[in-house]
Amino acid sequence: MKEIFLDNYMKMIIKNNPTFTQEQLEKMKYGIEGIYLTVTKLVVIILLGILLGILKEILLLLLFYNFLRFFGFGYHAKNSLECLIFSTTFFVLLPFLVAKRLLVLDYNWLLVVLCLINFCLFAPSDTKKRPMINKKKKLVRKCCVLFVGLIYSILVFNTNYELSSLLILAMVIESIMVNPLIYKLTGQPYGNYKNYTVKN
């Protein structure tokens, strides 16, 4: 379904913009693919949230996570099925466990410290399709994700069980997504900027 949508959309783009270079077309395809995956994934997640009665928890976790993700980037699934498996596990199962109080996160301070160390070492994390070759932009993004992480860390110890758990989960998920181990386990290349001339 995704490939049919992308093929038809790109044919329309090429027809209406014959002067676009191959690089411009690839960037456009990458962006459209991202939008398609995000929308279809969100529809599934929201429907599950409504059915399970945990829509509020799901939306909060998505908000907290995506704010970190905006600065830290990280791993992208290889295909739609893998993306859906990751998404439903992280954004449906975990909020469900929090809502039903079946997930008790002990040693919050240790989880927070480990996440911040992870951000410091590995964020922002690039992908093959989106290598991070600008050193200054990488540094700015690293500082931003650490700042957001610190704000979340303070809130963890000053909010109720539900918000505290969702904030920690957002940090843990983003820590997983920027860590080289997830790239290795899924057979995706890590440190893709090394294949390009590094820009200041």
Side-chain angles (χ1 to χ4, degrees):
M1 182 70 182
K2 182 190 78 173
E3 295 305 324
I4 295 170
F5 171 80
L6 284 174
D7 286 345
N8 289 332
Y9 194 89
M10 291 310 296
K11 282 176 184 175
M12 186 177 70
I13 294 292
I14 292 167
K15 183 180 178 181
N16 294 324
N17 303 278
T19 58
F20 276 12
T21 64
Q22 189 62 35
E23 184 179 352
Q24 286 174 314
L25 290 171
E26 284 178 11
K27 283 182 180 178
M28 190 157 274
K29 185 177 180 181
Y30 180 76
I32 297 301
E33 185 179 7
I35 293 169
Y36 176 86
L37 289 173
T38 300
V39 170
T40 53
K41 178 180 66 178
L42 268 177
V43 168
V44 173
I45 288 172
I46 287 172
L47 284 174
L48 286 171
I50 293 169
L51 289 171
L52 295 170
I54 55 167
L55 185 59
K56 180 186 74 172
E57 290 80 3
I58 285 175
L59 292 177
L60 282 171
L61 180 56
L62 283 170
L63 176 68
F64 296 150
Y65 167 73
N66 280 298
F67 204 50
L68 282 170
R69 175 81 169 190
F70 180 77
F71 299 113
F73 293 156
Y75 172 79
H76 275 275
K78 290 182 283 189
N79 54 58
S80 303
L81 180 60
E82 187 179 285
C83 182
L84 190 60
I85 292 169
F86 270 104
S87 298
T88 50
T89 301
F90 287 144
F91 302 113
V92 178
L93 177 60
L94 294 180
F96 177 80
L97 295 176
V98 167
K100 302 305 177 185
R101 294 187 174 263
L102 298 172
L103 181 66
V104 179
L105 297 171
D106 293 324
Y107 304 105
N108 287 351
W109 64 271
L110 181 59
L111 286 172
V112 162
V113 168
L114 289 174
C115 287
L116 291 174
I117 291 171
N118 209 51
F119 295 157
C120 191
L121 292 175
F122 305 118
S125 182
D126 68 359
T127 62
K128 188 176 180 179
K129 290 183 178 179
R130 195 173 181 181
M132 301 201 65
I133 57 178
N134 189 303
K135 284 184 176 180
K136 287 180 182 176
K137 285 182 180 179
K138 282 182 72 172
L139 181 60
V140 169
R141 288 188 173 276
K142 184 182 289 291
C143 291
C144 288
V145 77
L146 281 169
F147 178 73
V148 174
L150 284 169
I151 297 296
Y152 283 12
S153 302
I154 293 167
L155 291 173
V156 161
F157 299 103
N158 292 280
T159 53
N160 59 37
Y161 159 81
E162 185 178 90
L163 281 177
S164 175
S165 299
L166 294 172
L167 285 162
I168 290 175
L169 286 177
M171 292 179 70
V172 169
I173 294 167
E174 178 62 4
S175 291
I176 292 169
M177 291 300 162
V178 300
N179 196 288
L181 187 58
I182 189 70
Y183 288 79
K184 189 171 182 180
L185 290 172
T186 56
Q188 291 217 36
Y190 180 78
N192 298 280
Y193 68 91
K194 294 173 184 175
N195 298 322
Y196 297 80
T197 303
V198 178
K199 296 180 182 177
N200 293 322

